[in-house]
Coordinates of all heavy atoms in Angstrom, one line a residue:
K99 N -6.4 45.2 -12.3 CA -6.9 44.5 -13.5 C -5.7 44.3 -14.4 O -5.6 44.9 -15.5 CB -7.9 45.4 -14.2 CG -9.1 45.7 -13.3 CD -10.1 46.7 -14.1 CE -11.2 47.2 -13.2 NZ -12.0 48.2 -13.9
P100 N -4.8 43.3 -14.1 CA -3.6 43.1 -14.9 C -4.0 42.6 -16.3 O -3.2 42.9 -17.2 CB -2.9 42.0 -14.1 CG -3.9 41.4 -13.2 CD -4.9 42.5 -12.9
D101 N -5.1 41.9 -16.5 CA -5.5 41.5 -17.8 C -5.8 42.7 -18.7 O -5.4 42.8 -19.9 CB -6.6 40.5 -17.8 CG -7.8 41.0 -16.9 OD1 -7.7 42.0 -16.2 OD2 -8.8 40.3 -17.0
L102 N -6.6 43.6 -18.2 CA -7.0 44.9 -18.9 C -5.8 45.7 -19.2 O -5.6 46.2 -20.3 CB -8.0 45.7 -18.1 CG -8.3 47.1 -18.6 CD1 -9.0 47.0 -20.0 CD2 -9.2 47.9 -17.7
V103 N -4.9 45.9 -18.2 CA -3.7 46.7 -18.3 C -2.8 46.1 -19.4 O -2.3 46.9 -20.3 CB -2.9 46.8 -17.0 CG1 -1.6 47.5 -17.2 CG2 -3.7 47.6 -16.0
T104 N -2.6 44.8 -19.4 CA -1.8 44.2 -20.5 C -2.4 44.4 -21.8 O -1.7 44.7 -22.8 CB -1.6 42.7 -20.2 OG1 -1.1 42.5 -18.8 CG2 -0.7 42.1 -21.2
D105 N -3.7 44.2 -22.0 CA -4.4 44.3 -23.3 C -4.2 45.8 -23.8 O -4.0 46.0 -25.0 CB -5.9 44.0 -23.1 CG -6.1 42.5 -23.0 OD1 -5.2 41.7 -23.3 OD2 -7.2 42.1 -22.6
E106 N -4.4 46.7 -22.9 CA -4.3 48.1 -23.2 C -2.9 48.5 -23.7 O -2.7 49.3 -24.6 CB -4.8 49.0 -22.1 CG -6.3 49.1 -22.0 CD -6.9 49.9 -23.1 OE1 -7.2 49.3 -24.2 OE2 -7.1 51.1 -23.0
M107 N -1.9 48.0 -22.9 CA -0.5 48.2 -23.3 C -0.2 47.8 -24.8 O 0.4 48.5 -25.5 CB 0.4 47.4 -22.4 CG 0.5 47.9 -21.0 SD 1.6 46.9 -20.0 CE 3.2 47.1 -20.7
L108 N -0.7 46.6 -25.1 CA -0.5 46.0 -26.4 C -1.4 46.6 -27.5 O -1.2 46.4 -28.7 CB -0.6 44.5 -26.4 CG 0.5 43.8 -25.5 CD1 0.2 42.3 -25.4 CD2 1.9 44.0 -26.1
R109 N -2.4 47.4 -27.1 CA -3.2 48.1 -28.0 C -2.5 49.4 -28.4 O -2.4 49.7 -29.6 CB -4.6 48.4 -27.4 CG -5.5 49.2 -28.4 CD -6.8 49.6 -27.7 NE -6.6 50.5 -26.6 CZ -6.4 51.8 -26.8 NH1 -6.3 52.4 -28.0 NH2 -6.3 52.6 -25.7
V110 N -2.0 50.1 -27.4 CA -1.4 51.4 -27.7 C 0.1 51.4 -28.1 O 0.6 52.3 -28.6 CB -1.5 52.3 -26.5 CG1 -3.0 52.5 -26.1 CG2 -0.7 51.9 -25.3
A111 N 0.7 50.2 -27.9 CA 2.1 50.1 -28.3 C 2.4 48.8 -29.1 O 1.7 47.8 -28.9 CB 3.0 50.1 -27.0
K112 N 3.4 48.8 -29.9 CA 3.7 47.6 -30.7 C 4.3 46.5 -29.9 O 4.1 45.3 -30.1 CB 4.7 48.0 -31.8 CG 4.1 49.1 -32.8 CD 5.2 49.6 -33.7 CE 4.7 50.7 -34.6 NZ 5.7 51.4 -35.4
K113 N 5.1 46.9 -28.9 CA 5.7 46.0 -28.0 C 5.6 46.5 -26.5 O 5.4 47.7 -26.3 CB 7.2 45.7 -28.3 CG 7.4 45.1 -29.7 CD 8.9 44.9 -30.0 CE 9.1 44.3 -31.4 NZ 10.5 44.2 -31.7
A114 N 5.7 45.6 -25.6 CA 5.6 46.0 -24.2 C 6.7 45.3 -23.4 O 7.1 44.2 -23.6 CB 4.2 45.7 -23.6
V115 N 7.2 46.0 -22.4 CA 8.2 45.5 -21.5 C 7.5 45.4 -20.1 O 7.0 46.4 -19.6 CB 9.5 46.4 -21.4 CG1 10.5 45.8 -20.3 CG2 10.1 46.6 -22.7
V116 N 7.5 44.2 -19.6 CA 6.8 43.9 -18.3 C 7.8 43.2 -17.3 O 8.5 42.3 -17.7 CB 5.6 43.0 -18.5 CG1 4.9 42.7 -17.2 CG2 4.6 43.6 -19.5
S117 N 7.9 43.8 -16.1 CA 8.8 43.1 -15.1 C 8.0 43.0 -13.8 O 7.1 43.8 -13.5 CB 10.1 43.9 -14.9 OG 9.8 45.1 -14.1
F118 N 8.3 41.9 -13.1 CA 7.7 41.7 -11.8 C 8.5 40.8 -10.9 O 9.3 40.0 -11.4 CB 6.3 41.1 -12.0 CG 6.2 39.9 -12.8 CD1 6.4 38.6 -12.2 CD2 6.0 39.9 -14.1 CE1 6.4 37.5 -12.9 CE2 6.0 38.8 -14.9 CZ 6.1 37.5 -14.3
P119 N 8.3 40.8 -9.6 CA 9.0 39.8 -8.7 C 8.4 38.5 -8.9 O 7.2 38.3 -9.0 CB 8.8 40.4 -7.3 CG 7.6 41.2 -7.4 CD 7.6 41.8 -8.8
N120 N 9.2 37.4 -8.9 CA 8.8 36.1 -9.1 C 8.5 35.4 -7.7 O 9.3 35.2 -6.9 CB 9.9 35.2 -9.8 CG 9.5 33.8 -10.0 OD1 8.4 33.4 -10.1 ND2 10.5 32.9 -10.0
F121 N 7.2 35.1 -7.5 CA 6.7 34.6 -6.2 C 7.2 33.1 -6.0 O 7.1 32.6 -4.9 CB 5.2 34.7 -6.1 CG 4.7 34.5 -4.7 CD1 5.0 35.5 -3.7 CD2 3.9 33.4 -4.4 CE1 4.5 35.3 -2.5 CE2 3.4 33.3 -3.1 CZ 3.7 34.2 -2.1
A122 N 7.7 32.5 -7.1 CA 8.2 31.1 -7.0 C 9.7 31.0 -6.7 O 10.2 29.9 -6.8 CB 7.8 30.3 -8.3
Y123 N 10.3 32.1 -6.5 CA 11.7 32.1 -6.2 C 12.0 31.2 -5.0 O 11.2 31.2 -4.0 CB 12.2 33.6 -5.9 CG 13.6 33.8 -5.5 CD1 14.6 33.3 -6.3 CD2 14.0 34.6 -4.4 CE1 16.0 33.5 -6.0 CE2 15.3 34.8 -4.1 CZ 16.3 34.2 -4.9 OH 17.6 34.5 -4.6
W124 N 13.1 30.5 -5.0 CA 13.3 29.5 -4.0 C 13.3 30.0 -2.6 O 12.8 29.3 -1.7 CB 14.6 28.7 -4.3 CG 15.9 29.4 -4.0 CD1 16.6 30.2 -4.9 CD2 16.6 29.5 -2.8 NE1 17.7 30.7 -4.3 CE2 17.8 30.3 -3.0 CE3 16.4 28.9 -1.5 CZ2 18.7 30.5 -2.0 CZ3 17.4 29.2 -0.5 CH2 18.5 30.0 -0.8
K125 N 13.8 31.2 -2.3 CA 13.8 31.7 -1.0 C 12.4 32.0 -0.5 O 12.1 31.8 0.7 CB 14.7 33.0 -0.9 CG 16.2 32.8 -1.0 CD 16.9 34.0 -0.7 CE 18.4 33.8 -0.8 NZ 19.2 35.0 -0.5
V126 N 11.5 32.4 -1.4 CA 10.1 32.7 -1.0 C 9.5 31.4 -0.7 O 8.7 31.2 0.3 CB 9.4 33.4 -2.2 CG1 7.9 33.5 -1.9 CG2 10.0 34.7 -2.5
R127 N 9.7 30.3 -1.5 CA 9.1 29.0 -1.2 C 9.6 28.4 0.1 O 8.8 27.9 0.9 CB 9.6 28.0 -2.3 CG 9.1 28.3 -3.7 CD 9.4 27.2 -4.6 NE 9.3 27.6 -6.0 CZ 9.1 26.7 -7.0 NH1 9.0 25.4 -6.7 NH2 9.0 27.0 -8.3
F128 N 10.9 28.6 0.4 CA 11.4 28.1 1.7 C 10.8 28.8 2.9 O 10.6 28.2 3.9 CB 12.9 28.2 1.7 CG 13.6 27.0 1.0 CD1 13.2 26.6 -0.3 CD2 14.6 26.3 1.6 CE1 13.8 25.5 -0.9 CE2 15.2 25.2 1.0 CZ 14.8 24.8 -0.3
Y129 N 10.7 30.1 2.7 CA 10.1 30.9 3.8 C 8.7 30.5 4.1 O 8.3 30.3 5.3 CB 10.1 32.4 3.4 CG 9.8 33.4 4.5 CD1 10.8 34.2 5.0 CD2 8.5 33.6 5.0 CE1 10.5 35.1 6.0 CE2 8.2 34.5 6.0 CZ 9.2 35.3 6.5 OH 9.0 36.2 7.4
L130 N 7.9 30.2 3.1 CA 6.5 29.8 3.3 C 6.5 28.4 3.9 O 5.7 28.1 4.8 CB 5.8 29.8 2.0 CG 4.3 29.5 2.0 CD1 3.5 30.4 3.0 CD2 3.7 29.5 0.6
F131 N 7.4 27.5 3.4 CA 7.4 26.1 3.9 C 7.8 26.0 5.4 O 7.2 25.3 6.1 CB 8.4 25.3 3.0 CG 8.4 23.9 3.4 CD1 7.4 23.0 3.0 CD2 9.5 23.4 4.2 CE1 7.5 21.6 3.3 CE2 9.5 22.0 4.5 CZ 8.5 21.2 4.1
F132 N 8.9 26.7 5.7 CA 9.4 26.6 7.1 C 8.8 27.4 8.1 O 8.6 27.1 9.3 CB 10.9 26.8 7.1 CG 11.7 25.7 6.4 CD1 12.3 25.9 5.2 CD2 11.9 24.5 7.0 CE1 13.1 24.9 4.6 CE2 12.6 23.5 6.5 CZ 13.2 23.7 5.2
K133 N 8.3 28.6 7.7 CA 7.7 29.5 8.7 C 6.2 29.5 8.7 O 5.6 30.0 9.6 CB 8.2 31.0 8.5 CG 9.7 31.1 8.7 CD 10.1 32.6 8.8 CE 11.6 32.8 9.2 NZ 11.9 34.2 9.4
G134 N 5.6 29.0 7.6 CA 4.2 28.9 7.5 C 3.5 30.3 7.4 O 2.3 30.4 7.8
K135 N 4.2 31.3 7.0 CA 3.6 32.7 6.9 C 3.9 33.2 5.5 O 4.8 32.7 4.8 CB 4.3 33.6 8.0 CG 4.0 33.1 9.4 CD 4.4 34.2 10.4 CE 5.9 34.6 10.2 NZ 6.3 35.6 11.2
M136 N 3.2 34.3 5.2 CA 3.4 34.9 3.9 C 4.9 35.4 3.8 O 5.4 36.0 4.8 CB 2.5 36.1 3.7 CG 1.1 35.6 3.4 SD 1.0 34.7 1.8 CE 1.3 35.9 0.6
P137 N 5.6 35.1 2.8 CA 7.0 35.4 2.7 C 7.3 36.9 2.7 O 6.6 37.7 2.2 CB 7.4 34.8 1.4 CG 6.3 33.8 1.0 CD 5.1 34.4 1.6
K138 N 8.5 37.2 3.3 CA 9.1 38.5 3.2 C 10.5 38.4 2.7 O 11.2 37.5 3.1 CB 9.0 39.2 4.5 CG 7.7 39.7 5.0 CD 7.7 40.4 6.4 CE 8.5 41.7 6.3 NZ 8.5 42.4 7.6
S139 N 10.9 39.3 1.8 CA 12.2 39.3 1.2 C 12.5 40.6 0.6 O 11.7 41.6 0.7 CB 12.3 38.2 0.1 OG 11.5 38.5 -1.0
K140 N 13.7 40.8 0.0 CA 14.0 42.1 -0.7 C 12.9 42.3 -1.8 O 12.5 43.5 -2.0 CB 15.4 42.0 -1.3 CG 16.5 42.0 -0.3 CD 17.8 42.0 -1.0 CE 19.0 42.0 0.0 NZ 20.3 41.9 -0.7
A141 N 12.5 41.3 -2.5 CA 11.5 41.5 -3.5 C 10.1 41.7 -3.0 O 9.3 42.3 -3.6 CB 11.6 40.3 -4.5
L142 N 9.8 41.1 -1.8 CA 8.5 41.2 -1.2 C 8.7 41.6 0.2 O 8.5 40.8 1.1 CB 7.8 39.8 -1.4 CG 7.6 39.3 -2.8 CD1 7.4 37.8 -2.7 CD2 6.5 40.0 -3.5
P143 N 8.9 42.9 0.5 CA 9.3 43.3 1.8 C 8.1 43.7 2.7 O 8.3 43.9 3.9 CB 10.1 44.5 1.6 CG 9.5 45.1 0.3 CD 9.1 44.0 -0.5
Y144 N 6.9 43.6 2.2 CA 5.7 44.1 3.0 C 5.1 43.0 3.8 O 5.3 41.8 3.6 CB 4.7 44.7 2.0 CG 5.2 45.8 1.2 CD1 5.6 45.6 -0.1 CD2 5.2 47.1 1.7 CE1 6.1 46.6 -0.9 CE2 5.6 48.2 0.9 CZ 6.1 47.9 -0.4 OH 6.5 48.9 -1.2
E145 N 4.3 43.4 4.8 CA 3.4 42.5 5.5 C 2.2 42.2 4.7 O 1.9 42.9 3.8 CB 3.0 43.1 6.9 CG 4.1 43.5 7.8 CD 4.8 42.3 8.4 OE1 4.3 41.1 8.3 OE2 5.9 42.4 9.1
W146 N 1.5 41.1 5.0 CA 0.4 40.7 4.2 C -0.7 41.7 4.2 O -1.5 41.9 3.2 CB -0.2 39.3 4.7 CG -0.7 39.4 6.0 CD1 -0.1 39.1 7.2 CD2 -2.1 39.7 6.4 NE1 -1.0 39.3 8.3 CE2 -2.2 39.6 7.8 CE3 -3.2 40.1 5.7 CZ2 -3.4 39.9 8.5 CZ3 -4.4 40.4 6.4 CH2 -4.5 40.3 7.7
Y147 N -0.8 42.5 5.3 CA -1.9 43.5 5.4 C -1.6 44.8 4.8 O -2.5 45.7 4.7 CB -2.3 43.6 6.9 CG -1.1 43.9 7.8 CD1 -0.7 45.2 8.0 CD2 -0.5 42.9 8.5 CE1 0.4 45.5 8.8 CE2 0.6 43.2 9.3 CZ 1.0 44.5 9.5 OH 2.1 44.7 10.3

Side-chain angles (χ1 to χ4, degrees):
K99 303 173 184 176
D101 49 351
L102 171 65
V103 172
T104 304
D105 286 345
E106 282 290 86
M107 288 175 68
L108 293 175
R109 179 185 66 79
V110 303
K112 299 171 185 175
K113 297 178 182 178
V115 179
V116 179
S117 75
F118 55 86
N120 177 30
F121 197 65
Y123 181 48
W124 72 268
K125 287 187 177 180
V126 174
R127 298 189 193 201
F128 276 49
Y129 192 106
L130 184 59
F131 182 80
F132 286 109
K133 294 194 175 185
K135 300 191 301 182
M136 286 300 292
K138 288 181 65 178
S139 66
K140 289 181 181 179
L142 300 161
Y144 301 96
E145 300 289 351
W146 65 267
Y147 52 82

